Amino acid sequence: MSPAGCSHVNGFKVDNWKQNLRVIYQCFVWSGSAETRKRKCVVEEGGFVPDALKITFKAKSCMCHMCGAHLNRLHSCLHCVFFGCFSKKHIHEHAKNKRHNLAIDLLYGGIYCFVCQDYIYDKDMEQIAKEEQRKAWKLQGIGEKYSMWEPTKRELELLRHNPKRRKITANCTIGLRGLINLGNTCFMNCIVQALTHTPLLRDFFLSDRHKCEMQSNSCLVCEMSQLFQEFYSGHRSPHIPFRLLHLVWTHARHLAGYEQQDAHEFLIAALDVLHRHCKDDNGKKANNPNHCNCIIDQIFTGGLQSDVTCQVCHGVSTTIDPFWDISLDLPGSSTPFWPLSPGSDGSVVNGDSHPSGATTLTDCLRRFTRPEHLGSSAKIKCSGCHSYQESTKQLTMKRLPIVACFHLKRFEHSAKLRRKITTYVSFPLELDMTPFMASSKESRMNGQYQQPVDSLNNDNKYSLFAVVNHQGTLESGHYTTFIRQHKDQWFKCDDAIITKASIKDVLDSEGYLLFYHKQFLEYE
Amino acid sequence: MRREMCFINMSKESQMRAAINQKLIEMGERERLKELLRAKLIECGWRDQLKALCKEVIKEKGIENVTVEDLVAGVTPKGRALVPDSVKKELLQRIRAFLAQHST
Ligand SMILES: [Zn+2]
Ligand SMILES: [Zn+2]
Ligand SMILES: [Zn+2]
Ligand SMILES: [Zn+2]
Ligand SMILES: [Zn+2]
Ligand SMILES: [Zn+2]
């Protein structure tokens, strides 16, 4: 289109043109879905159009009035509601004969001017298109969808003032940065590496979304923002995270001092401080079990369902608790790992039948979600029997977090002993959590033993993106992290040193903390 | 609004296509398929490839003169060829499953 813009829209912009355009978008371009058409009518300022009518309109009438095609880039004349295909130039013919210069693309909503011979970009019209699209998404129950970023005035100015652009290419190393060890601080460094490579967290921080409400400059979220800038600045020299360490010490006193700390404990403490420091309410209703809208809860919080069944009356009491990580028992610990509960059939889940006899992450999860008999020493008050009874308890996943963090309990601290369990646990690159869902358990209970195999259902599928390892003994150990960069490149972060790693290196490692990211995200 | 009526003669196959299309729209499935396709094409890098192709066309024609039609003509054949088979297959499966469900 010529840079001057199209002057022919003025012929259309008369009388009630905005309302007319809205109706066209509603009826023919972004019409709502069948589920909603029964329930709702949309009342517009200038009268209403029932949804049912819109759908019928769109379904029945959307074909070229000249050749009957319903594909071929169908357009509608903006002046008289004539439909014609673009590919065979039937809409062009109409425009020429009737001198109706504007037509609208029925698939994408673009507006074409036959005088300019191109699609035109009119601010008012685009605004209406966008508004109507949002309304239609809402009606279809899809909610807000991904839309392309459009820079605001301020952002345009920033872009103009900072003309240097960094391009992310397939092999670039932006985002990789070593961290100096400040004296036994690898427990912190390994978690920082995992967090800075959590895709959704990175997107949040790099798009500058933290609005600080803390008074002094002691906000850990602000420090994380800073850290992300450091990591993705393209600098290659190792970063010195002393401010971060200082803040962690101030806000999580139990981690202060120069001794080696537990990386898992640090992770939970860090998430907790971040959650407390980012109470910026974005106005959306929190729908995670922690009832918090902060980015940490949006990403890391899942809901764990606990069903306690009374052995006498078989009444079930169900509670749901939020979790940030799942701690898994390992074979070789003092609590017996096997035998598994009845009902586990050893079927192949997550692609790992185990010929080698090695324990798999799936085994650990199966054990975690098995019904556990609580025994006579742990009687629980049953609300059905009104007395203390023996019961069984079973945990399942009620709601999955976007990032699932598994903690393999390698450190055993009991009254008698403190030791490290080095049992090898194999873990997959891709994990399907469907078998461990509360909903799967319910359908099993209703007699559907065979879960319908739905390869198209990707809701519960995860990919591995970081693995924290502990080398050495309880007393003198060292933490390192494997992190995933781009889609399938792996790097080992050992404090200040970063080296390329193979997938085999990652999967053969012992594994202490495993970080999985959901493959498909729902829009909320 | 005035509607221009027309008499349309359709072959069997195009009648079938029209019926399927109508069903897909009525049930809102077409919008969902569009969204799925969009996500898949972004995921597999197709959109980035197309962007690069478009940039070539724009450079060739000059930003002042290029029209959407030039872009469509310039990238359509290559764009079609670049769609991965896996994506086509997945979409086909979805449509089949949908039709099987709603064919009674
Ligand atoms: Zn024009
Ligand atoms: Zn017309
Ligand atoms: Zn036509
Ligand atoms: Zn802050
Ligand atoms: Zn929170
Ligand atoms: Zn009871």
Side-chain angles (χ1 to χ4, degrees):
Chain A
M1 188 183 75
S2 79
C6 162
S7 55
H8 314 100
V9 284
N10 296 332
F12 176 76
K13 287 182 170 179
V14 287
D15 301 330
N16 235 346
W17 73 272
K18 284 190 180 177
Q19 187 50 33
N20 290 342
L21 189 62
R22 275 184 201 285
V23 173
I24 289 169
Y25 273 108
Q26 286 165 22
C27 296
F28 305 119
V29 188
W30 326 120
S31 37
S33 78
E35 288 94 299
T36 49
R37 74 184 156 149
K38 292 182 191 110
R39 287 185 272 122
K40 284 185 191 155
C41 288
V42 187
V43 181
E44 299 293 345
E45 304 109 81
F48 73 69
V49 184
D51 265 20
L53 203 59
K54 292 179 201 167
I55 302 285
T56 328
F57 264 11
K58 170 137 188 174
K60 301 238 194 267
S61 57
C62 279
M63 54 171 74
C64 175
H65 287 183
M66 292 176 102
C67 70
H70 48 265
L71 296 169
N72 294 342
R73 299 177 55 201
L74 209 56
H75 282 58
S76 163
C77 173
L78 270 192
H79 303 270
C80 72
V81 192
F82 166 92
F83 295 128
C85 66
F86 200 95
S87 302
K88 292 189 194 159
K89 296 204 185 285
H90 291 142
I91 189 74
H92 300 66
E93 229 168 275
H94 169 84
K96 199 173 157 206
N97 294 340
K98 304 271 171 176
R99 299 211 185 152
H100 290 167
N101 288 333
L102 298 175
I104 181 166
D105 179 318
L106 292 178
L107 203 52
Y108 300 103
I111 290 170
Y112 190 88
C113 171
F114 288 95
V115 185
C116 298
Q117 297 193 7
D118 200 1
Y119 289 89
I120 56 166
Y121 306 93
D122 180 82
K123 275 239 156 66
D124 302 328
M125 289 175 148
E126 282 184 359
Q127 186 59 33
I128 289 171
K130 240 190 238 163
E131 283 169 24
E132 291 307 324
Q133 186 164 42
R134 266 196 215 117
K135 276 192 218 161
W137 282 341
K138 264 213 187 117
L139 280 174
Q140 289 170 54
I142 307 179
E144 193 77 2
K145 273 196 283 193
Y146 171 81
S147 44
M148 295 281 270
W149 170 62
E150 274 174 45
T152 61
K153 269 212 175 103
R154 203 186 99 79
E155 285 165 340
L156 275 177
E157 210 144 276
L158 282 172
L159 284 170
R160 240 175 260 126
H161 279 104
N162 300 282
K164 207 179 144 205
R165 305 272 179 273
R166 239 175 269 116
K167 218 175 158 202
I168 307 285
T169 56
N171 286 313
C172 74
T173 53
I174 291 178
L176 293 175
R177 208 160 170 198
L179 289 165
I180 299 283
N181 192 323
L182 301 167
N184 275 331
T185 54
C186 56
F187 72 91
M188 176 178 78
N189 289 352
C190 71
I191 297 299
V192 168
Q193 290 291 359
L195 291 180
T196 44
H197 289 90
T198 302
L200 229 60
L201 205 57
R202 176 199 61 205
D203 294 353
F204 174 86
F205 280 110
L206 290 184
S207 56
D208 227 358
R209 302 257 295 280
H210 170 57
K211 285 170 200 74
C212 196
E213 286 183 3
M214 301 259 299
Q215 303 299 325
S216 57
N217 53 359
S218 68
C219 173
L220 190 64
V221 191
C222 288
E223 183 54 31
M224 277 300 274
S225 300
Q226 208 55 51
L227 203 68
F228 270 93
Q229 292 297 331
E230 288 291 342
F231 263 78
Y232 291 88
S233 64
H235 293 302
R236 305 184 62 120
S237 58
H239 177 64
I240 308 170
F242 66 90
R243 265 189 57 81
L244 181 76
L245 185 67
H246 174 74
L247 279 176
V248 170
W249 281 354
T250 2
H251 293 294
R253 297 226 166 259
H254 60 288
L255 295 175
Y258 283 98
E259 311 93 80
Q260 178 68 284
Q261 302 282 353
D262 179 18
H264 172 247
E265 208 173 310
F266 175 80
L267 168 68
I268 299 303
L271 292 181
D272 183 53
V273 177
L274 287 168
H275 150 77
R276 281 191 277 127
H277 288 189
C278 64
K279 293 273 179 206
D280 54 334
D281 196 57
N282 54 16
K284 271 194 251 160
K285 217 176 132 251
N287 73 358
N288 59 66
N290 224 10
H291 306 296
C292 176
N293 255 332
C294 79
I295 188 65
I296 298 300
D297 282 299
Q298 282 182 43
I299 295 177
F300 293 93
T301 299
L304 197 60
Q305 178 168 328
S306 158
D307 294 311
V308 174
T309 311
C310 169
Q311 291 304 88
V312 176
C313 72
H314 298 288
V316 182
S317 85
T318 298
T319 50
I320 290 157
D321 293 306
F323 69 86
W324 276 337
D325 68 319
I326 296 165
S327 290
L328 297 168
D329 286 316
L330 302 182
S333 72
S334 45
T335 44
F337 190 79
W338 307 104
L340 274 172
S341 61
S344 73
D345 45 0
S347 62
V348 182
V349 222
N350 295 319
D352 52 9
S353 62
H354 26 92
S356 56
T359 310
T360 65
L361 177 64
T362 304
D363 290 334
C364 297
L365 281 164
R366 233 186 272 151
R367 183 182 187 278
F368 181 78
T369 53
R370 84 204 188 288
E372 182 188 7
H373 192 71
L374 292 177
S376 53
S377 57
K379 287 187 176 174
I380 286 177
K381 183 153 187 185
C382 168
S383 58
C385 306
H386 302 289
S387 61
Y388 286 86
Q389 302 291 3
E390 281 189 29
S391 39
T392 59
K393 181 178 156 185
Q394 183 172 18
L395 300 172
T396 46
M397 303 289 150
K398 178 69 183 173
R399 188 179 188 277
L400 292 170
I402 291 171
V403 167
C405 169
F406 300 106
H407 164 223
L408 305 181
K409 284 155 84 175
R410 295 205 173 274
F411 301 115
E412 202 168 29
H413 306 275
S414 66
K416 276 180 288 196
L417 76 176
R418 284 164 44 92
R419 64 189 183 110
K420 184 183 171 186
I421 298 159
T422 53
T423 313
Y424 174 71
V425 174
S426 78
F427 45 89
L429 275 180
E430 299 203 332
L431 177 70
D432 189 349
M433 290 292 284
T434 308
F436 315 110
M437 299 295 290
S439 52
S440 302
K441 183 197 158 195
E442 276 149 29
S443 56
R444 271 200 302 276
M445 303 248 290
N446 296 336
Q448 297 161 257
Y449 286 96
Q450 202 65 45
Q451 278 285 111
V453 184
D454 186 358
S455 59
L456 295 175
N457 179 13
N458 293 316
D459 294 350
N460 307 324
K461 287 192 182 145
Y462 285 83
S463 318
L464 186 70
F465 72 92
V467 177
V468 170
N469 277 298
H470 179 268
Q471 283 102 32
T473 61
L474 250 184
E475 291 72 33
S476 77
H478 181 55
Y479 286 108
T480 58
T481 309
F482 286 112
I483 52 112
R484 191 186 67 186
Q485 167 99 337
H486 304 302
K487 237 183 163 148
D488 52 1
Q489 297 174 36
W490 287 86
F491 293 89
K492 182 177 179 177
C493 308
D494 183 346
D495 287 332
I497 297 158
I498 295 191
T499 46
K500 201 156 173 49
S502 68
I503 290 179
K504 191 174 179 311
D505 294 335
V506 178
L507 295 183
D508 286 350
S509 71
E510 197 174 73
Y512 177 47
L513 300 170
L514 310 174
F515 293 83
Y516 285 86
H517 203 284
K518 251 197 187 175
Q519 290 180 358
F520 298 91
L521 304 178
E522 301 118 48
Y523 293 91
E524 288 182 356
Chain B
M1 287 183 205
R2 189 165 57 89
R3 181 77 57 82
E4 297 193 7
M5 296 303 291
C6 47
F7 186 75
I8 296 155
N9 214 346
M10 281 193 287
S11 72
K12 259 230 163 96
E13 193 197 302
S14 63
Q15 271 176 19
M16 180 83 112
R17 276 168 184 266
I20 292 173
N21 191 51
Q22 185 175 324
K23 192 94 200 163
L24 290 173
I25 295 174
E26 268 178 13
M27 307 296 292
E29 182 70 5
R30 196 160 96 153
E31 287 302 306
R32 283 191 285 272
L33 287 172
K34 247 164 72 181
E35 216 25 57
L36 177 79
L37 181 60
R38 199 161 85 122
K40 290 281 153 196
L41 290 177
I42 293 174
E43 198 183 286
C44 70
W46 181 86
R47 195 177 64 168
D48 293 333
Q49 290 174 304
L50 264 268
K51 252 191 204 162
L53 285 178
C54 287
K55 278 188 188 156
E56 276 172 33
V57 177
I58 293 170
K59 258 189 212 147
E60 205 176 290
K61 297 259 172 185
I63 186 102
E64 306 282 306
N65 311 312
V66 74
T67 66
V68 174
E69 280 322 291
D70 296 331
L71 286 176
V72 171
V75 305
T76 302
K78 273 190 204 156
R80 285 224 171 96
L82 282 170
V83 177
D85 283 345
S86 60
V87 173
K88 291 184 198 163
K89 223 163 128 186
E90 182 165 353
L91 224 67
L92 191 64
Q93 267 179 2
R94 268 285 287 256
I95 296 172
R96 279 219 182 100
F98 172 83
L99 290 177
Q101 224 173 36
H102 295 275
S103 61
T104 42

